[in-house]
Amino acid sequence: MRLAWRAAGAATAGRRFLILSARMGSGHDAVASALAARLEAAGHETIRADVLELLPAGVGTGIRSGYRVVIERAPLLYAGIYQSFFRGGDGAIRPGSAPLAALGERRVLDLVRRERADVVVPVFHLAAQITGRLRARGALSVPSAVVMTEFEAHRQWLHPGNDLYLCHADEIAAGIRRGAGCAAAAYGPVVDPRFTAPEDGARADSWRQRLASAGRPVVLLSTGAWGIGSSLAPTAALVHEAGYVPAILCGQNERLRRHFAEITPAAALGWVDDMPALMHAASVLIDNAAGQTATEALAAGLPVVGYRPIPGHGADGVRLMARLGLSDHARDPGELLAALSRLTGPGPARDRRIAAGRAVFRPGAIRTLANLA
């Protein structure tokens, strides 16, 4: 039987939450870590698992490596796959179907029983399909609450068996309720609290001294944990010629970092542990995926400009962020330069973007999860 959820009232203390993530880049795991920290601070226990490791041997590794290869080397192929299986052709929000989910059901159930979990929290779309299927047929006896890690509610996230969806914005929640028949509420993205904390001036100044050149504003270029992006060199050159310091975030892609380290004037950065301080030192983030880096920038008060997004969910997310008034979407070099001109210096345009980005983060998500019953 499907259990209900209470949106208000006293939260139940001391519950055990099983968080199902996936090591696809770093965004899902970053959300899982931040969510676990918040739940534990509220007096709950958490267990984390990679859902890809709960699939039969070799399947999860194949999914991870196959996705990376396709999105890096054959983006048009990925765009077609996304349009067919994630968007459903017409772009409507409706539940999807993931046959691979059947391969993970038994081990998810075993994990729930072994860990005596009170609530299961998928933060990856395949995990949401597994819990939705199990809940729909009554095999999973505890609630499942999906915490979305991206703006675009594509159909592989959605299964009506899940008890609740926590998503980034009211428009997204309304679309999920209307199109998928799922309970949904908007609490904003889940980020490490360091991004919402006040600026540490000393650490930010250290980054400014490292990157700044002749007083030029620093503009970050995001490529995600895997260091994937298109036309990065021309974009960096364009940014530099316009009077800014381009700093390319190469993530874990050491080959990309070494490549750009040889190209001036771009600053090539590898994996950055103190991203909040770097964001406080920068003036704008140029983003290509509307993923965790973009949401962290919103929390840190760093304006976001979507430009040359990766296909599929990246392009959809960039457009949706702009439509929600949280970022700009630059469709060509002229629009990019115009956005940088508006947002890098003090003024009402920058102030509005920062205020809108910070307003998307709302309290109450942890209480809502704890109130699942």
Side-chain angles (χ1 to χ4, degrees):
M1 178 183 294
R2 176 99 171 261
L3 299 182
W5 69 282
R6 301 185 300 274
T12 304
R15 310 193 78 186
R16 289 175 64 81
F17 290 82
L18 170 60
I19 303 172
L20 296 177
S21 184
R23 205 167 63 255
M24 298 283 279
S26 66
H28 301 285
D29 280 349
V31 171
S33 294
L35 185 62
R38 290 166 65 178
L39 285 165
E40 290 167 7
H44 306 290
E45 297 178 83
T46 64
I47 311 101
R48 291 171 52 188
D50 186 328
V51 72
L52 298 181
E53 295 178 359
L54 301 178
L55 300 175
V59 174
T61 300
I63 292 172
R64 183 184 298 111
S65 59
Y67 169 73
R68 180 170 184 172
V69 167
V70 169
I71 203 166
E72 188 171 17
R73 301 183 184 177
L76 292 180
L77 174 59
Y78 176 70
I81 294 171
Y82 179 84
Q83 187 65 25
S84 298
F85 297 101
F86 289 69
R87 289 277 287 172
D90 59 3
I93 294 179
R94 63 167 63 92
S97 174
L100 278 173
L103 301 178
E105 290 181 356
R106 180 184 60 80
R107 294 187 71 180
V108 167
L109 284 176
D110 289 346
L111 187 59
V112 170
R113 292 167 184 147
R114 184 169 67 251
E115 298 292 347
R116 295 173 284 110
D118 297 307
V119 181
V120 183
V121 185
V123 297
F124 180 63
H125 52 78
L126 179 60
Q129 288 289 330
I130 293 173
T131 57
R133 287 163 56 101
L134 292 172
R135 289 290 285 153
R137 68 171 190 267
L140 178 62
S141 61
V142 301
S144 57
V146 180
V147 174
M148 296 189 61
T149 60
E150 55 190 310
F151 280 87
E152 181 61 26
H154 62 66
R155 61 199 306 259
Q156 294 301 329
W157 275 107
L158 306 177
H159 194 293
N162 288 307
D163 295 84
L164 176 64
Y165 280 80
L166 298 183
C167 50
H168 289 4
D170 290 322
E171 179 178 323
I172 303 168
I176 291 173
R177 291 192 297 267
R178 182 175 59 251
C182 304
Y187 287 102
V190 176
V191 299
D192 187 309
R194 294 181 302 157
F195 290 95
T196 55
E199 176 182 327
D200 184 314
R203 297 207 316 270
D205 285 343
S206 176
W207 276 110
R208 292 187 185 100
Q209 292 168 9
R210 175 179 173 182
L211 297 174
S213 174
R216 292 182 171 207
V218 175
V219 173
L220 304 180
L221 280 69
S222 176
T223 67
W226 285 342
I228 296 174
S230 63
S231 299
L232 291 171
T235 300
L238 179 72
V239 169
H240 172 74
E241 290 165 5
Y244 309 100
V245 176
I248 302 176
L249 304 175
C250 300
Q252 299 162 345
N253 192 332
E254 182 59 19
R255 179 187 60 81
L256 184 71
R257 190 201 65 77
R258 289 196 304 268
H259 170 72
F260 279 106
E262 299 172 357
I263 299 176
T264 55
L269 303 177
W271 186 260
V272 176
D273 290 319
D274 195 5
M275 188 64 81
L278 174 57
M279 287 185 168
H280 288 146
S283 294
V284 167
L285 172 75
I286 298 177
D287 173 66
N288 70 350
Q292 192 65 8
T293 303
T295 58
E296 289 168 349
L298 297 182
L302 179 65
V304 176
V305 179
Y307 183 63
R308 299 189 66 87
I310 61 176
H313 66 279
D316 279 354
V318 163
R319 286 190 290 265
L320 180 54
M321 279 188 69
R323 191 171 77 239
L324 294 173
L326 303 175
S327 67
D328 282 36
H329 177 204
R331 288 158 291 191
D332 56 48
E335 290 188 356
L336 176 61
L337 294 181
L340 293 180
S341 178
R342 287 194 304 272
L343 298 173
T344 51
R350 180 180 177 86
D351 292 344
R352 284 194 298 270
R353 277 284 178 263
I354 292 174
R358 285 178 165 160
V360 80
F361 297 89
R362 309 175 191 176
I366 299 305
R367 179 175 292 275
T368 297
L369 287 174
N371 278 337
L372 282 163

